[in-house]
Amino acid sequence: MSGAGSMRIEGWSRAPLSGRLPAILLVGGVGLAAVVREAAPYVFIGLLFGYLISRRFGTRSTAIAAVLPAAAILVWRSLPQALADPAGADCANVLAPPVVWRLLEGVVGLVAVAVLLFDRGSSPALLGLRLGSRRVRLGAILALLIVGPIALYAGSVLGDARFAGTFFGAYSLDFSQPLALLPAILFAASNALAEELSYRGAMRVWLAPSLGVVGANVAQSIVFGLSHTGSDFVGLQGLLPTLVAMVVIGYAAGVIARRTGSLLLPLAIHLALDIPIFYYWACRIG
């Protein structure tokens, strides 16, 4: 299968289970890599090998291409994240270790998608890499201006011991350095780019021929949710609510991407929501 456009099945795929099973197994494999990070390199190598074999026989598997970018960034995330200076010296540093680490993650996702697009002769617009309508562009600007401050406020509230003990442990954030917003935006943009390209881009679009548009969106949202489970939590109480929230957010972002024909609005919202994460890693007190 050399492309998704002419083979897309609306809604849920009506193909027999035998036709959908390979894609389901591929999604399951990437889901495993999302939960068990040590397995990510092996899953990625297996997927890459499978794609190269399909390419050798002239098919260029669409289903494998769909999950390869997500598998690639999960390999990167299986590596220890670079940490900021615990004394807070990196809070306003545009080259703080967490920023550089996320920048490289963004590069991994972008390169994986670019190579697959080139190999398959596909247009970037197919995956939503386009600005979209004027309304979409305006919505993206408003998302940054409205959602960003709300996310920062929510991040500061989350640090309250009444809430944070469930998720990350009690902490407070240093908002006294205005220039910290620059590395925070760079950090958030890199993370958002990698994930939107991989999940709402490649996985949502290229799984549609096998699972249907709705099935592909459900699949990418589940893997997206699983990728947000991990060692950041100090207790198990926060895992399930976060997983459910990320699945719902991932699904909604997929719907927006499909209806607007662009990743711009989900990318802007994602960026705005991720800004407090930099403050947690580099501007945390306690």
Side-chain angles (χ1 to χ4, degrees):
M1 293 181 287
S2 60
S6 61
M7 303 182 65
R8 186 171 297 173
I9 305 171
E10 296 297 326
W12 296 91
S13 173
R14 298 184 184 277
L17 180 61
S18 59
R20 288 174 284 155
L21 188 58
I24 293 172
L25 292 176
L26 289 170
V27 171
V30 180
L32 173 65
V35 176
V36 184
R37 296 297 168 84
E38 296 80 5
Y42 303 102
V43 170
F44 175 75
I45 291 172
L47 291 172
L48 182 60
F49 184 68
Y51 184 79
L52 292 175
I53 290 178
S54 74
R55 188 178 185 276
R56 175 68 178 81
F57 289 97
T59 57
R60 287 178 169 82
S61 171
T62 303
I64 298 179
V67 297
L68 262 174
I73 64 171
L74 288 172
V75 171
W76 180 256
R77 290 190 182 178
S78 70
L79 304 174
Q81 176 173 296
L83 300 178
D85 185 335
D90 285 323
C91 186
N93 179 12
V94 74
L95 293 178
V99 175
V100 175
W101 195 85
R102 292 289 180 174
L103 270 173
L104 292 174
E105 177 192 54
V107 170
V108 168
L110 185 60
V111 168
V113 170
V115 169
L116 286 167
L117 284 171
F118 177 79
D119 183 63
R120 300 170 63 77
S122 297
S123 166
L126 176 69
L127 302 187
L129 291 175
R130 53 191 296 269
L131 290 177
S133 67
R134 182 179 179 181
R135 182 178 296 181
V136 169
R137 297 194 296 270
L138 179 60
I141 294 172
L142 290 176
L144 292 174
L145 295 178
I146 296 173
V147 179
I150 293 174
L152 280 172
Y153 174 75
S156 65
V157 171
L158 187 62
D160 189 292
R162 291 172 298 173
F163 303 101
T166 304
F167 297 93
F168 309 109
Y171 65 88
S172 60
L173 301 178
D174 178 10
F175 291 112
S176 65
Q177 303 185 56
L179 290 180
L181 188 60
L182 296 177
I185 291 175
L186 188 57
F187 172 98
S190 303
N191 189 58
L193 178 64
E195 293 189 336
E196 293 304 321
L197 278 175
S198 299
Y199 296 103
R200 262 66 72 187
M203 193 176 294
R204 179 186 64 84
V205 174
W206 282 335
L207 280 178
S210 300
L211 302 180
V213 170
V214 175
N217 200 26
V218 169
Q220 67 83 15
S221 64
I222 290 175
V223 179
F224 178 68
L226 292 174
S227 72
H228 287 79
T229 60
S231 59
D232 293 342
F233 297 89
V234 297
L236 295 177
Q237 303 98 316
L239 283 174
L240 184 57
T242 301
L243 172 61
V244 172
M246 291 300 103
V247 170
V248 172
I249 290 172
Y251 184 85
V255 171
I256 293 172
R258 180 169 184 267
R259 290 187 176 180
T260 62
S262 170
L263 291 175
L264 184 63
L265 186 52
L267 181 61
I269 296 172
H270 196 152
L271 189 162
L273 291 174
D274 280 358
I275 287 175
I277 299 177
F278 171 79
Y279 282 85
Y280 174 78
W281 286 116
C283 308
R284 187 168 76 246
I285 303 171

